[in-house]
Amino acid sequence: MLFDQFQFSRALESAWALVAAVDKYIVENEPWALGEKQDEESRSRLATVLYTAAEALRIATALAHPVIPDATAKIWMQMGLGDIKKLALSELVWGQLRLGTKLGEVQPVFPRADESAIERMQKMEEEQRTPTAEPPAVAGTAAQTNLPQATPAAQPAVPAANEKISIDDFAKIELRVGLVKVAERVPKADKLLRMEIDIGTEVRQVLAGIAEAYAPETLVGRKVVIVANLAPRKLRGLESNGMIVAASLEGGKPVLAGFLEDVPVGARLK
């Protein structure tokens, strides 16, 4: 219905919400643990969990096909479902995945970038964002006499507390209103929470050190402010794609920024 209304972002939100819900379902039901048990009840439960995950993948793939046709076509083939172009979205309902469907050859759909490539891209982004200082007058003199040119002192990455920035500097920071869809603790990390945050155009995974101040269940459905154009970073093996804005009180307790009025998801703060 949302696709028919040309509301593509909201349509994708529905699909990603399904993916997030099933991801949580898998974590909670631990099919890897069920697979180690041999009793009939565990094997039956395992079959239910795996079928539910597979059917959710089928539904999400079908819903996302108008937007990412090549990748979804590959997933459809790998699930043994043939040509996705023959699917009529109007006839898509839960439970159409037939038991005993034989899978095709399973291959990665989105190749994983190696760590060195990610580090190179991050370095290039940082170099582009760092303004280059004008060389001092002595450097020009050195260049004219073919002497080694003086190297300007490195500029501090973070302005001092009393240092002013220009409006252009502030405009580089993209602050967006996000809606927390999923929140859960990161295993073996007392302070970290993993969240899936809807920022209007996509759902981002963000990690934040606020677990000592906020219980995960209290954050679901809450609107927060995130820095949307921050370079991704890995924490505890998980990628954090953004940063939540919070006040830092005495003692280190964070307080999340919020709104008294109703603000639409994805709105930009200026």
Side-chain angles (χ1 to χ4, degrees), residues 170-177 199 225-226 228-229 259 263-270:
F170 178 74
K172 295 176 183 178
I173 304 172
E174 185 181 344
L175 299 172
R176 294 279 180 182
V177 177
I199 61 170
V225 178
I226 79 164
N229 62 339
F259 306 92
V263 184
V265 173
R268 183 167 182 176
L269 283 70
K270 299 181 180 180

Coordinates of all heavy atoms in Angstrom, one line a residue, residues 170-177 199 225-226 228-229 259 263-270:
F170 N 29.6 23.8 12.0 CA 28.4 23.2 12.6 C 27.6 22.5 11.5 O 27.0 21.4 11.8 CB 27.6 24.2 13.3 CG 26.3 23.6 13.9 CD1 26.4 22.8 15.1 CD2 25.1 23.9 13.3 CE1 25.2 22.3 15.6 CE2 24.0 23.4 13.8 CZ 24.0 22.6 15.0
A171 N 27.5 23.1 10.3 CA 26.7 22.5 9.3 C 27.2 21.2 8.8 O 26.4 20.4 8.2 CB 26.6 23.5 8.1
K172 N 28.4 20.9 9.1 CA 29.0 19.6 8.7 C 28.4 18.4 9.5 O 28.4 17.3 9.1 CB 30.5 19.5 8.8 CG 31.2 20.5 7.8 CD 32.7 20.5 8.1 CE 33.4 21.5 7.2 NZ 34.9 21.5 7.5
I173 N 27.9 18.8 10.7 CA 27.3 17.7 11.6 C 25.8 17.5 11.2 O 25.0 18.4 11.3 CB 27.4 18.1 13.0 CG1 28.9 18.5 13.4 CG2 26.9 17.0 13.9 CD1 29.1 19.1 14.7
E174 N 25.5 16.3 10.9 CA 24.1 16.0 10.5 C 23.4 15.3 11.7 O 23.6 14.1 12.0 CB 24.1 15.0 9.3 CG 22.6 14.7 8.8 CD 22.6 13.8 7.6 OE1 23.7 13.6 7.0 OE2 21.5 13.3 7.3
L175 N 22.6 16.1 12.4 CA 21.8 15.6 13.5 C 20.4 15.2 13.1 O 19.7 16.0 12.4 CB 21.7 16.6 14.6 CG 23.1 17.1 15.2 CD1 22.9 18.3 16.2 CD2 23.8 15.9 15.9
R176 N 20.0 14.0 13.4 CA 18.7 13.5 12.9 C 17.8 13.0 14.1 O 18.4 12.5 15.1 CB 18.8 12.4 11.9 CG 19.4 12.8 10.6 CD 18.4 13.5 9.7 NE 19.1 13.9 8.4 CZ 18.4 14.6 7.5 NH1 17.1 14.8 7.6 NH2 19.0 14.9 6.4
V177 N 16.5 13.1 14.0 CA 15.6 12.5 15.0 C 15.4 11.1 14.6 O 15.1 10.7 13.5 CB 14.2 13.2 15.0 CG1 13.3 12.6 16.0 CG2 14.4 14.7 15.3
I199 N 15.8 6.4 11.2 CA 16.0 7.8 11.0 C 15.3 8.3 9.8 O 15.7 9.3 9.2 CB 17.5 8.1 10.9 CG1 18.2 7.4 9.7 CG2 18.3 7.8 12.2 CD1 19.6 7.8 9.4
V225 N 18.1 11.7 19.5 CA 18.9 12.5 18.5 C 20.2 11.8 18.2 O 20.9 11.4 19.2 CB 19.2 13.9 19.1 CG1 20.1 14.7 18.0 CG2 17.9 14.7 19.4
I226 N 20.5 11.5 17.0 CA 21.7 10.9 16.6 C 22.5 11.7 15.6 O 22.0 12.4 14.8 CB 21.5 9.4 16.1 CG1 21.1 9.4 14.6 CG2 20.5 8.7 16.9 CD1 21.2 8.1 14.0
A228 N 24.2 11.5 12.5 CA 23.9 10.5 11.4 C 25.1 10.4 10.4 O 25.1 9.4 9.7 CB 22.7 10.9 10.6
N229 N 26.0 11.4 10.4 CA 27.1 11.3 9.4 C 28.4 11.0 10.0 O 29.5 11.3 9.5 CB 27.1 12.6 8.5 CG 27.4 13.8 9.4 OD1 27.2 13.8 10.6 ND2 27.9 14.9 8.7
F259 N 12.5 15.6 23.1 CA 11.7 16.6 22.7 C 10.4 16.6 23.5 O 9.9 15.6 23.8 CB 11.3 16.5 21.2 CG 12.5 16.4 20.3 CD1 13.0 15.1 20.0 CD2 13.2 17.5 19.8 CE1 14.1 15.0 19.2 CE2 14.3 17.4 19.0 CZ 14.8 16.1 18.7
V263 N 7.9 15.3 17.2 CA 8.8 15.6 16.1 C 8.8 14.4 15.2 O 9.0 13.3 15.6 CB 10.2 15.9 16.6 CG1 11.1 16.4 15.5 CG2 10.2 17.0 17.7
P264 N 8.7 14.6 13.9 CA 8.7 13.5 13.0 C 10.1 12.8 12.9 O 11.1 13.4 13.0 CB 8.4 14.1 11.6 CG 8.7 15.5 11.7 CD 8.5 15.9 13.2
V265 N 10.0 11.5 12.7 CA 11.3 10.7 12.6 C 12.0 11.2 11.3 O 11.4 11.4 10.3 CB 10.9 9.2 12.5 CG1 12.2 8.4 12.1 CG2 10.3 8.7 13.8
G266 N 13.3 11.3 11.5 CA 14.2 11.8 10.3 C 14.3 13.2 10.2 O 15.2 13.7 9.4
A267 N 13.6 14.0 11.0 CA 13.8 15.5 11.0 C 15.2 15.9 11.3 O 15.8 15.3 12.2 CB 12.8 16.2 12.0
R268 N 15.7 16.9 10.7 CA 17.1 17.3 10.9 C 17.1 18.5 11.9 O 16.3 19.4 11.8 CB 17.8 17.7 9.6 CG 19.2 18.1 9.8 CD 20.0 18.2 8.5 NE 21.4 18.5 8.7 CZ 22.3 18.6 7.8 NH1 22.0 18.4 6.5 NH2 23.6 18.9 8.1
L269 N 18.1 18.4 12.8 CA 18.3 19.5 13.8 C 19.3 20.5 13.2 O 20.3 20.1 12.7 CB 18.8 18.9 15.1 CG 17.8 18.3 16.0 CD1 17.3 16.9 15.5 CD2 18.4 18.1 17.4
K270 N 18.9 21.8 13.3 CA 19.8 22.8 12.7 C 20.1 23.9 13.7 O 19.3 24.1 14.7 CB 19.1 23.4 11.5 CG 18.9 22.4 10.3 CD 18.2 23.1 9.2 CE 18.0 22.1 8.0 NZ 17.3 22.8 6.8

